[in-house]
Short mmCIF file of all heavy atoms in Angstrom, two decimals:
data_model
loop_
_atom_site.label_atom_id
_atom_site.label_comp_id
_atom_site.label_asym_id
_atom_site.label_seq_id
_atom_site.Cartn_x
_atom_site.Cartn_y
_atom_site.Cartn_z
N CYS A 1 97.60 92.31 100.63
CA CYS A 1 98.06 93.71 100.95
C CYS A 1 99.34 94.00 100.22
O CYS A 1 100.24 93.17 100.24
CB CYS A 1 98.33 93.86 102.44
SG CYS A 1 99.03 95.49 102.91
N ILE A 2 99.34 95.05 99.39
CA ILE A 2 100.52 95.38 98.57
C ILE A 2 101.20 96.60 99.08
O ILE A 2 100.62 97.68 99.16
CB ILE A 2 100.10 95.61 97.15
CG1 ILE A 2 99.30 94.41 96.57
CG2 ILE A 2 101.31 95.88 96.20
CD1 ILE A 2 98.80 94.57 95.09
N VAL A 3 102.45 96.41 99.45
CA VAL A 3 103.36 97.51 99.93
C VAL A 3 104.43 97.60 98.81
O VAL A 3 105.25 96.75 98.67
CB VAL A 3 104.05 97.19 101.24
CG1 VAL A 3 105.00 98.30 101.62
CG2 VAL A 3 102.91 97.03 102.31
N SER A 4 104.41 98.73 98.09
CA SER A 4 105.23 98.86 96.87
C SER A 4 106.24 99.95 96.97
O SER A 4 106.70 100.56 96.02
CB SER A 4 104.31 99.20 95.68
OG SER A 4 103.53 100.37 95.92
N SER A 5 106.73 100.17 98.20
CA SER A 5 107.77 101.27 98.44
C SER A 5 108.94 101.16 97.52
O SER A 5 109.53 100.10 97.31
CB SER A 5 108.18 101.22 99.84
OG SER A 5 107.12 101.28 100.74
N LEU A 6 109.34 102.32 97.00
CA LEU A 6 110.59 102.39 96.21
C LEU A 6 111.79 102.59 97.10
O LEU A 6 112.95 102.23 96.75
CB LEU A 6 110.51 103.54 95.25
CG LEU A 6 109.30 103.56 94.29
CD1 LEU A 6 109.37 104.74 93.33
CD2 LEU A 6 109.22 102.28 93.48
N GLN A 7 111.59 103.13 98.26
CA GLN A 7 112.63 103.27 99.29
C GLN A 7 111.92 103.65 100.60
O GLN A 7 111.16 104.59 100.64
CB GLN A 7 113.67 104.34 98.94
CG GLN A 7 114.79 104.46 99.86
CD GLN A 7 115.79 103.28 99.74
OE1 GLN A 7 116.55 102.99 100.70
NE2 GLN A 7 115.74 102.54 98.66
N ASP A 8 112.09 102.91 101.66
CA ASP A 8 111.33 103.09 102.88
C ASP A 8 112.26 102.68 104.04
O ASP A 8 112.83 101.63 104.04
CB ASP A 8 110.07 102.25 102.86
CG ASP A 8 108.87 102.98 103.38
OD1 ASP A 8 109.01 103.99 104.09
OD2 ASP A 8 107.71 102.63 103.05
N GLY A 9 112.22 103.57 105.12
CA GLY A 9 113.03 103.21 106.27
C GLY A 9 112.54 101.93 106.93
O GLY A 9 113.33 101.11 107.26
N MET A 10 111.22 101.79 107.10
CA MET A 10 110.66 100.56 107.67
C MET A 10 109.41 100.17 106.90
O MET A 10 109.38 99.18 106.29
CB MET A 10 110.37 100.73 109.14
CG MET A 10 109.82 99.51 109.87
SD MET A 10 110.73 97.98 109.58
CE MET A 10 112.32 98.34 110.32
N ASN A 11 108.31 100.93 107.03
CA ASN A 11 107.01 100.71 106.52
C ASN A 11 106.19 99.89 107.56
O ASN A 11 106.29 98.64 107.61
CB ASN A 11 106.93 100.09 105.17
CG ASN A 11 105.44 100.14 104.60
OD1 ASN A 11 104.57 99.44 105.06
ND2 ASN A 11 105.25 101.10 103.66
N LEU A 12 105.45 100.58 108.35
CA LEU A 12 104.65 99.92 109.42
C LEU A 12 103.31 99.34 108.87
O LEU A 12 102.72 98.51 109.60
CB LEU A 12 104.37 100.90 110.52
CG LEU A 12 105.64 101.39 111.23
CD1 LEU A 12 105.28 102.36 112.35
CD2 LEU A 12 106.52 100.23 111.74
N VAL A 13 102.86 99.72 107.68
CA VAL A 13 101.65 99.14 107.13
C VAL A 13 101.78 97.63 107.03
O VAL A 13 100.82 96.92 107.30
CB VAL A 13 101.34 99.78 105.76
CG1 VAL A 13 100.29 98.98 105.04
CG2 VAL A 13 100.92 101.24 105.93
N ALA A 14 102.95 97.19 106.62
CA ALA A 14 103.16 95.76 106.49
C ALA A 14 102.97 95.05 107.82
O ALA A 14 102.34 93.95 107.92
CB ALA A 14 104.55 95.47 105.99
N LYS A 15 103.39 95.63 108.91
CA LYS A 15 103.26 95.06 110.22
C LYS A 15 101.80 95.14 110.76
O LYS A 15 101.32 94.27 111.43
CB LYS A 15 104.22 95.68 111.21
CG LYS A 15 105.70 95.50 110.76
CD LYS A 15 106.71 96.03 111.81
CE LYS A 15 108.10 95.72 111.30
NZ LYS A 15 109.13 95.99 112.34
N GLU A 16 101.13 96.31 110.45
CA GLU A 16 99.75 96.45 110.79
C GLU A 16 98.89 95.40 110.19
O GLU A 16 97.95 94.89 110.77
CB GLU A 16 99.26 97.88 110.41
CG GLU A 16 99.94 99.01 111.23
CD GLU A 16 99.72 100.41 110.64
OE1 GLU A 16 98.97 100.52 109.65
OE2 GLU A 16 100.18 101.40 111.22
N TYR A 17 99.18 95.15 108.86
CA TYR A 17 98.38 94.13 108.15
C TYR A 17 98.53 92.76 108.78
O TYR A 17 97.60 92.07 109.09
CB TYR A 17 98.79 94.15 106.74
CG TYR A 17 98.11 93.05 105.87
CD1 TYR A 17 96.75 93.15 105.53
CD2 TYR A 17 98.78 91.93 105.38
CE1 TYR A 17 96.11 92.17 104.77
CE2 TYR A 17 98.16 90.97 104.64
CZ TYR A 17 96.78 91.12 104.28
OH TYR A 17 96.14 90.16 103.57
N VAL A 18 99.80 92.40 109.08
CA VAL A 18 100.00 91.07 109.66
C VAL A 18 99.35 91.00 111.08
O VAL A 18 98.75 89.99 111.40
CB VAL A 18 101.53 90.83 109.79
CG1 VAL A 18 101.81 89.63 110.62
CG2 VAL A 18 102.13 90.67 108.41
N ALA A 19 99.47 92.02 111.86
CA ALA A 19 98.85 92.00 113.18
C ALA A 19 97.35 91.90 113.17
O ALA A 19 96.77 91.25 114.01
CB ALA A 19 99.23 93.31 113.99
N SER A 20 96.70 92.46 112.10
CA SER A 20 95.29 92.43 111.99
C SER A 20 94.72 91.19 111.31
O SER A 20 93.48 90.93 111.34
CB SER A 20 94.78 93.62 111.18
OG SER A 20 95.28 94.88 111.70
N GLN A 21 95.61 90.36 110.78
CA GLN A 21 95.10 89.16 110.03
C GLN A 21 94.83 88.01 111.04
O GLN A 21 95.53 86.94 110.97
CB GLN A 21 96.22 88.78 109.04
CG GLN A 21 96.06 89.41 107.74
CD GLN A 21 94.98 88.75 106.87
OE1 GLN A 21 94.96 87.53 106.66
NE2 GLN A 21 94.08 89.57 106.38
N VAL A 22 93.84 88.20 111.85
CA VAL A 22 93.48 87.20 112.86
C VAL A 22 92.97 85.91 112.27
O VAL A 22 93.05 84.80 112.89
CB VAL A 22 92.52 87.78 113.88
CG1 VAL A 22 93.20 88.89 114.69
CG2 VAL A 22 91.24 88.26 113.22
N ASP A 23 92.47 85.96 111.06
CA ASP A 23 91.92 84.81 110.35
C ASP A 23 92.97 84.08 109.51
O ASP A 23 92.77 83.01 109.00
CB ASP A 23 90.69 85.12 109.48
CG ASP A 23 89.62 85.88 110.24
OD1 ASP A 23 89.16 85.34 111.29
OD2 ASP A 23 89.25 86.98 109.83
N ARG A 24 94.08 84.79 109.32
CA ARG A 24 95.17 84.20 108.53
C ARG A 24 94.83 83.82 107.08
O ARG A 24 95.26 82.77 106.57
CB ARG A 24 95.89 83.08 109.22
CG ARG A 24 96.51 83.48 110.54
CD ARG A 24 97.08 82.29 111.30
NE ARG A 24 97.68 82.76 112.60
CZ ARG A 24 98.00 81.94 113.60
NH1 ARG A 24 97.74 80.65 113.48
NH2 ARG A 24 98.53 82.40 114.73
N ASN A 25 93.98 84.67 106.49
CA ASN A 25 93.59 84.42 105.10
C ASN A 25 94.30 85.21 104.11
O ASN A 25 94.20 84.91 102.91
CB ASN A 25 92.02 84.76 104.96
CG ASN A 25 91.17 83.80 105.78
OD1 ASN A 25 91.45 82.57 105.82
ND2 ASN A 25 90.05 84.33 106.25
N GLY A 26 95.12 86.16 104.54
CA GLY A 26 95.67 87.08 103.56
C GLY A 26 97.19 86.81 103.25
O GLY A 26 97.85 86.00 103.88
N VAL A 27 97.58 87.53 102.19
CA VAL A 27 99.02 87.41 101.80
C VAL A 27 99.59 88.84 101.74
O VAL A 27 99.03 89.73 101.17
CB VAL A 27 99.06 86.79 100.32
CG1 VAL A 27 100.52 86.72 99.84
CG2 VAL A 27 98.51 85.43 100.30
N LEU A 28 100.69 88.97 102.39
CA LEU A 28 101.50 90.22 102.38
C LEU A 28 102.43 90.25 101.22
O LEU A 28 103.33 89.40 101.13
CB LEU A 28 102.20 90.44 103.74
CG LEU A 28 103.19 91.62 103.76
CD1 LEU A 28 102.41 92.94 103.61
CD2 LEU A 28 103.97 91.60 105.04
N MET A 29 102.25 91.25 100.32
CA MET A 29 103.18 91.45 99.25
C MET A 29 104.03 92.68 99.59
O MET A 29 103.53 93.77 99.65
CB MET A 29 102.42 91.62 97.89
CG MET A 29 101.49 90.48 97.61
SD MET A 29 100.83 90.61 95.93
CE MET A 29 102.33 90.36 94.96
N LEU A 30 105.33 92.51 99.73
CA LEU A 30 106.15 93.53 100.33
C LEU A 30 107.34 93.81 99.49
O LEU A 30 108.12 92.94 99.06
CB LEU A 30 106.65 93.01 101.72
CG LEU A 30 107.51 93.91 102.54
CD1 LEU A 30 106.91 95.26 102.78
CD2 LEU A 30 107.89 93.27 103.87
N SER A 31 107.53 95.12 99.16
CA SER A 31 108.63 95.56 98.31
C SER A 31 109.98 95.19 99.01
O SER A 31 110.19 95.30 100.19
CB SER A 31 108.54 97.10 98.18
OG SER A 31 109.74 97.57 97.64
N LEU A 32 110.90 94.79 98.16
CA LEU A 32 112.23 94.50 98.55
C LEU A 32 112.92 95.71 99.12
O LEU A 32 113.93 95.65 99.84
CB LEU A 32 113.11 93.95 97.42
CG LEU A 32 112.74 92.59 96.91
CD1 LEU A 32 113.34 92.38 95.57
CD2 LEU A 32 113.19 91.51 97.89
N PHE A 33 112.44 96.91 98.82
CA PHE A 33 113.07 98.14 99.19
C PHE A 33 112.38 98.78 100.43
O PHE A 33 112.72 99.93 100.68
CB PHE A 33 113.05 99.12 98.02
CG PHE A 33 113.59 98.41 96.75
CD1 PHE A 33 112.72 98.18 95.67
CD2 PHE A 33 114.88 98.01 96.70
CE1 PHE A 33 113.22 97.49 94.56
CE2 PHE A 33 115.35 97.26 95.56
CZ PHE A 33 114.51 97.10 94.48
N ALA A 34 111.55 98.15 101.10
CA ALA A 34 111.03 98.57 102.34
C ALA A 34 111.85 97.93 103.47
O ALA A 34 112.21 96.74 103.37
CB ALA A 34 109.58 98.17 102.51
N GLY A 35 112.20 98.76 104.50
CA GLY A 35 112.98 98.18 105.53
C GLY A 35 112.43 96.97 106.22
O GLY A 35 113.11 96.07 106.69
N ALA A 36 111.08 96.85 106.22
CA ALA A 36 110.42 95.72 106.85
C ALA A 36 110.72 94.40 106.15
O ALA A 36 110.62 93.31 106.79
CB ALA A 36 108.92 95.98 106.85
N ALA A 37 111.13 94.44 104.92
CA ALA A 37 111.37 93.21 104.17
C ALA A 37 112.50 92.40 104.75
O ALA A 37 112.60 91.18 104.64
CB ALA A 37 111.68 93.56 102.72
N GLU A 38 113.44 93.08 105.44
CA GLU A 38 114.62 92.43 105.98
C GLU A 38 114.25 91.33 107.04
O GLU A 38 114.84 90.30 107.06
CB GLU A 38 115.60 93.39 106.60
CG GLU A 38 116.86 92.76 107.19
CD GLU A 38 117.96 93.76 107.45
OE1 GLU A 38 118.35 94.50 106.51
OE2 GLU A 38 118.39 93.80 108.59
N ALA A 39 113.22 91.65 107.86
CA ALA A 39 112.84 90.73 108.92
C ALA A 39 111.63 89.89 108.50
O ALA A 39 111.40 88.80 109.09
CB ALA A 39 112.50 91.46 110.19
N MET A 40 110.80 90.36 107.53
CA MET A 40 109.56 89.63 107.15
C MET A 40 109.88 88.72 105.96
O MET A 40 109.38 88.91 104.80
CB MET A 40 108.51 90.65 106.87
CG MET A 40 108.27 91.60 108.09
SD MET A 40 106.94 92.78 107.84
CE MET A 40 105.51 91.83 108.41
N GLU A 41 110.58 87.67 106.17
CA GLU A 41 111.05 86.80 105.11
C GLU A 41 109.88 85.98 104.48
O GLU A 41 110.05 85.53 103.39
CB GLU A 41 112.11 85.84 105.67
CG GLU A 41 113.39 86.57 106.14
CD GLU A 41 114.46 85.57 106.68
OE1 GLU A 41 114.19 84.41 106.77
OE2 GLU A 41 115.55 86.07 106.98
N ASP A 42 108.84 85.83 105.28
CA ASP A 42 107.70 84.98 104.71
C ASP A 42 106.71 85.77 103.96
O ASP A 42 105.71 85.26 103.51
CB ASP A 42 107.06 84.28 105.90
CG ASP A 42 107.84 83.10 106.38
OD1 ASP A 42 107.76 82.06 105.72
OD2 ASP A 42 108.52 83.21 107.42
N ALA A 43 106.98 87.11 103.73
CA ALA A 43 106.13 87.87 102.89
C ALA A 43 106.46 87.49 101.44
O ALA A 43 107.54 86.91 101.17
CB ALA A 43 106.40 89.35 103.04
N LEU A 44 105.54 87.77 100.49
CA LEU A 44 105.78 87.63 99.09
C LEU A 44 106.49 88.86 98.59
O LEU A 44 105.89 89.89 98.42
CB LEU A 44 104.48 87.39 98.35
CG LEU A 44 104.55 86.71 97.01
CD1 LEU A 44 105.13 85.31 97.04
CD2 LEU A 44 103.11 86.64 96.40
N HIS A 45 107.79 88.79 98.35
CA HIS A 45 108.58 89.97 98.06
C HIS A 45 108.42 90.32 96.57
O HIS A 45 108.32 89.51 95.75
CB HIS A 45 110.05 89.75 98.40
CG HIS A 45 110.30 89.68 99.80
ND1 HIS A 45 111.38 89.01 100.40
CD2 HIS A 45 109.65 90.21 100.92
CE1 HIS A 45 111.37 89.10 101.65
NE2 HIS A 45 110.29 89.82 102.06
N ILE A 46 108.35 91.66 96.37
CA ILE A 46 108.16 92.12 94.98
C ILE A 46 109.17 93.27 94.71
O ILE A 46 109.71 93.83 95.59
CB ILE A 46 106.73 92.71 94.77
CG1 ILE A 46 106.44 93.84 95.76
CG2 ILE A 46 105.73 91.62 94.85
CD1 ILE A 46 105.12 94.55 95.51
N ASN A 47 109.45 93.43 93.46
CA ASN A 47 110.31 94.57 92.96
C ASN A 47 109.37 95.53 92.29
O ASN A 47 108.93 95.29 91.12
CB ASN A 47 111.34 94.08 92.03
CG ASN A 47 112.29 95.20 91.49
OD1 ASN A 47 111.96 96.38 91.68
ND2 ASN A 47 113.42 94.84 90.87
#
């Protein structure tokens, strides 16, 4: 799942993806500029 926000207060898509990953097969790619990146340290952060 790729979240590529240039500026985002939070971005709930990142959290929806993680909550739905019941098989734990996926990788969250999360922009450094989404608010969610601050708490989701185990995401693969992107610029």
Side-chain angles (χ1 to χ4, degrees):
C1 176
I2 304 178
V3 175
S4 56
S5 305
L6 305 181
Q7 187 70 204
D8 224 336
M10 180 52 62
N11 192 286
L12 298 181
V13 167
K15 300 187 178 189
E16 292 170 1
Y17 177 70
V18 169
S20 304
Q21 271 282 310
V22 294
D23 305 307
R24 296 176 180 163
N25 291 326
V27 178
L28 172 63
M29 304 190 65
L30 181 57
S31 167
L32 291 164
F33 310 113
E38 182 165 303
M40 305 182 86
E41 297 179 355
D42 284 283
L44 199 61
H45 291 154
I46 58 173
N47 181 347

